[in-house]
Amino acid sequence: MDNVIQSTSELEGAVPLELQANWAGEVAVVRCRGRLVAGEDVRALRAEVERLMKETRQIVLQMEEVGGMDSSGLGVIVRLLGALRAAHGDLKLCKLSPQLRQVFQITNLLGVVQICETEEEAFKAFSTHARPAGENPAEPQTKILCVDDSNDVLACLRVLLQREGYE
């Protein structure tokens, strides 16, 4: 089986993240190209989405040309999703490669973030006001303390544990 989640060192040779934002009505589409790893790539995506949030709460990340992602990349997506939902918006992903889709499946994030096949499908998902899967997790029962210096990793871990009933 292929190694799906590559280490940051394996991704260092990959193209740094490039972002291009476009509009489709009220929805901002961010086309991502390159890698999404700890450091400048994660900071760039966070800054771009935060900039767009000043104008809209409906954002699509088109990830067709994302060649790799590490845990910080996953974490920043979860943090941005949380920020948008807290502001009564949402984040959709579209055009994921089979490898990235497998990353979301392995990390149990498929039920947290909505993944669409096409941009058009993502636009329609905003218009139907579909309730995202996993929005009403079970009542937290157990507390877990995790110490890490990456807010993105902690955000990802928090969402996964909440879905499993942890506080």
Side-chain angles (χ1 to χ4, degrees), residues 7-137:
S7 71
T8 302
S9 62
E10 291 172 327
L11 293 171
E12 285 174 359
V15 177
L17 187 66
E18 297 174 14
L19 303 169
Q20 179 185 10
N22 295 310
W23 290 89
E26 297 291 318
V27 179
V29 179
V30 180
R31 288 181 178 83
C32 306
R33 180 175 186 265
R35 64 180 186 216
L36 183 52
V37 298
E40 190 55 39
D41 298 328
V42 166
R43 283 190 291 276
L45 180 60
R46 183 182 312 126
E48 181 66 8
V49 171
E50 288 172 353
R51 181 186 71 80
L52 292 169
M53 283 180 65
K54 294 175 183 173
E55 299 179 48
T56 186
R57 300 292 188 263
Q58 300 176 348
I59 299 177
V60 173
L61 296 182
Q62 195 263 48
M63 303 185 70
E64 183 174 28
E65 296 185 61
V66 174
M69 181 184 314
D70 67 4
S71 58
S72 290
L74 282 171
V76 76
I77 289 172
V78 171
R79 285 185 72 197
L80 293 170
L81 175 69
L84 280 159
R85 287 186 179 166
H88 306 291
D90 206 357
L91 177 75
K92 315 274 187 221
L93 305 182
C94 73
K95 294 191 174 186
L96 268 68
S97 68
Q99 293 83 7
L100 285 184
R101 186 177 291 277
Q102 191 173 11
V103 168
F104 280 87
Q105 183 177 3
I106 288 170
T107 57
N108 203 22
L109 287 171
L110 282 180
V112 175
V113 61
Q114 186 172 0
I115 298 174
C116 303
E117 294 300 320
T118 65
E119 289 179 26
E120 293 76 20
E121 185 181 317
F123 302 148
K124 288 178 186 175
F126 280 118
S127 66
T128 60
H129 302 291
R131 186 178 200 100
E135 194 171 78
N136 292 324

